[in-house]
Amino acid sequence: HDALPIYCPHGCCWWRRACRFDMRKGQWYCHRCKRQGDQLDLYAAAIGGTSSDDVRSIRTDANGNLYALGSTTSTDFPVTKAFTPTNPIGAILFKLNAAGSALTYSTQLGSRMTALAFDLDSTGAAYVTGSTNVNDIATTAGVLQPKPAGAGLNDYYGFIVKLSAAGTGFDVATYYGVI
């Protein structure tokens, strides 16, 4: 392939297929804003444990830090903050510095949580949504739905969390409906 679909480095595109990285020229081309020529600095980083780990979505902030959302079944996944420390298996979010040389934070959001999507605000706080079938998310005060809505053993619940920019805690955490 001549070009890979990657998120826009110009910050103008919310739709990832609007931008391409031309591997032959080593440059970005954005179909939406028609900008091109930005050099891409690539790095490779291996992060994970000894079992199954996957990444569903990535984002970069204005400073070039990389954020990745996914899941793990590795009990030894490198975690700097776990919100359910008794069970390290579940949804994960980690942040690498812009050079890809250091893990700024790595957090396990909750056991048996499936993180589906996330976005960042201008401060670096991450908004994550997904589903879970557990009723022990540490919801925050004053939220829309502090307890799961369903009563069945096999119910799945939506969740929305806002992780602090430092990755040290939930600024907001709520259940949202029954799936």
Side-chain angles (χ1 to χ4, degrees), residues 1-6 19-24 27 29 31:
H1 289 40
D2 294 334
L4 301 173
I6 303 181
C19 290
R20 300 278 184 222
F21 180 74
D22 187 322
M23 292 169 47
R24 284 188 263 163
Q27 295 180 339
Y29 177 74
H31 298 284

Side-chain angles (χ1 to χ4, degrees), residues 1 5 11 15 19 30 36 43 45 49-50 62 64 74 108 111 129 135 148 155 171 176-177:
H1 289 40
W15 187 51
C19 290
C30 181
Q36 64 183 13
Y43 61 81
T50 55
S74 298
Q108 187 263 339
S111 65
T129 185
N135 61 4
D155 285 343
D171 291 342
Y176 190 74

Side-chain angles (χ1 to χ4, degrees), residues 7 14 57-60 67 69 93 117-122 124-129 161-163:
Y7 288 95
W14 59 269
S57 184
I58 61 170
R59 298 279 186 277
T60 56
Y67 299 74
L69 178 72
L93 180 70
F118 83 109
D119 210 345
L120 303 170
D121 67 17
S122 62
Y127 297 80
V128 181
T129 185
V161 298
K162 176 185 177 188
L163 182 66

Side-chain angles (χ1 to χ4, degrees), residues 129-135 137 139 143-152 154-160 174-179:
T129 185
S131 66
T132 185
N133 66 346
V134 297
N135 61 4
I137 294 175
T139 58
V143 295
L144 179 67
Q145 189 176 331
K147 302 257 186 240
N154 295 318
D155 285 343
Y156 278 80
Y157 320 107
F159 70 85
I160 302 168
T174 186
Y175 287 96
Y176 190 74
V178 178
I179 299 172

Side-chain angles (χ1 to χ4, degrees), residues 9-10 21-29 35-42:
H10 310 295
F21 180 74
D22 187 322
M23 292 169 47
R24 284 188 263 163
K25 294 180 182 177
Q27 295 180 339
W28 285 99
Y29 177 74
R35 287 180 64 179
Q36 64 183 13
D38 289 350
Q39 194 65 36
L40 177 66
D41 296 323
L42 292 174

Side-chain angles (χ1 to χ4, degrees), residues 30-135:
C30 181
H31 298 284
R32 182 167 178 203
C33 68
K34 306 297 183 202
R35 287 180 64 179
Q36 64 183 13
D38 289 350
Q39 194 65 36
L40 177 66
D41 296 323
L42 292 174
Y43 61 81
I47 299 167
T50 55
S51 193
S52 177
D53 309 300
D54 73 89
V55 171
R56 289 184 178 266
S57 184
I58 61 170
R59 298 279 186 277
T60 56
D61 63 19
N63 298 319
N65 298 305
L66 181 128
Y67 299 74
L69 178 72
S71 64
T72 185
T73 60
S74 298
T75 56
D76 59 347
F77 190 88
V79 171
T80 58
K81 173 68 176 177
F83 295 104
T84 54
T86 58
N87 185 357
I89 296 171
I92 52 170
L93 180 70
F94 61 86
K95 176 183 176 182
L96 289 172
N97 69 0
S101 60
L103 194 61
T104 305
Y105 69 76
S106 175
T107 184
Q108 187 263 339
L109 299 172
S111 65
R112 296 192 334 227
M113 291 173 72
T114 302
L116 300 174
F118 83 109
D119 210 345
L120 303 170
D121 67 17
S122 62
T123 69
Y127 297 80
V128 181
T129 185
S131 66
T132 185
N133 66 346
V134 297
N135 61 4

